[in-house]
Amino acid sequence: MQFRARILGAAAGGGLPQWNCGCENCDLARAGKIPSQTQSSVAVSANGTDWAVLNASPDIRLQIAATPPLHPTDLRETPLKSVLLTNGDIDHVAGLLSLREQQPFTVFATGEIHDVLNDNPIFSAVNPDIVDRATVTLGAPVEIVPGLTAELFPVPGKVPLYLEGETVQTDLEGEQTVGVHLRVGDASVYYIPGCAAMTDDLAARIAGAALVFFDGTLWRDDEMVQAGLSHKTGKRMGHMSMSGADGSIAAFAGLDVAQKVFVHMNNTNPVLRPTSDERQQAEAAGWVIAQDGMEVTL
Ligand code: MLT
Ligand code: MN
Ligand code: ZN
């Protein structure tokens, strides 16, 4: 048994390029000058044969096609045994609809995230008689594929954009936004693609980990505002930024995490340009910027 991860999609919701975006990065990606990236998802395995997908992105069909270990092994046999959801955002759940072809697998999520799916009749296309909906209790590890357990824990975040009311709490800690502690034997890995702030609890939890995949949505909090694309800051979207005194690079500086990998990059993030100053800065601080197809093994 060996922990194995494959980045299916390194970008945040929208992907790179995003269909309606003419920002510098999206234009460069369309021109083939920087690599395109699909939307947020990671596949993990302990035996190399059975795989769990962490978050089902709208790009999952192409992601599976581009990933030989996930290809069918017989007429209706697939290595994809389960999908685990860390929130109810569209970029993390819409891919379930592409997995609707009467194929058995298990969807692992908290009760509140299952409620979001159950409240939306379109998800009944993923036939619950065939696709098991397993409710995961915070703090209780479950085996999501043979030899690999996942324990969910709350991280600061918010409800999905499409469920936002008049006022929005962006540092909610409960079942709506979770991080995942993955274990294969003694190997300990964290997957946290959305996180609004580094709390003392979270810092203590991940300190000393062998590998952390972490929210890399924005380089700076007002990046989308500055680019003239949105009035929303990263904090308003429930994401802490990479740079700055309260950013993730600073927050991880004393945590002794052996391998740090940014995932879920928004298409405006300058680290998506391999030669940018910001990319060099992140790498100098010991971070890897994920990209589609990248593998990490322990
Ligand atoms: C996010 O990560 O902030 C969301 O995926 C945004 C969205 O739903 O478009
Ligand atoms: Mn997202
Ligand atoms: Zn863009």
Side-chain angles (χ1 to χ4, degrees), residues 12-13 87 89-92 158 161 217 237 239 264:
N87 64 20
D89 284 352
I90 290 172
D91 56 345
H92 285 165
K158 64 170 187 66
L161 183 58
T217 307
M237 296 189 297
H239 298 291
H264 191 275

Side-chain angles (χ1 to χ4, degrees), residues 16-34 36 267:
L16 173 71
Q18 178 174 312
W19 74 279
N20 64 339
C21 190
C23 80
E24 180 182 0
N25 285 353
C26 287
D27 284 346
L28 286 169
R30 263 181 225 106
K33 292 182 176 157
I34 61 173
S36 293
N267 53 67

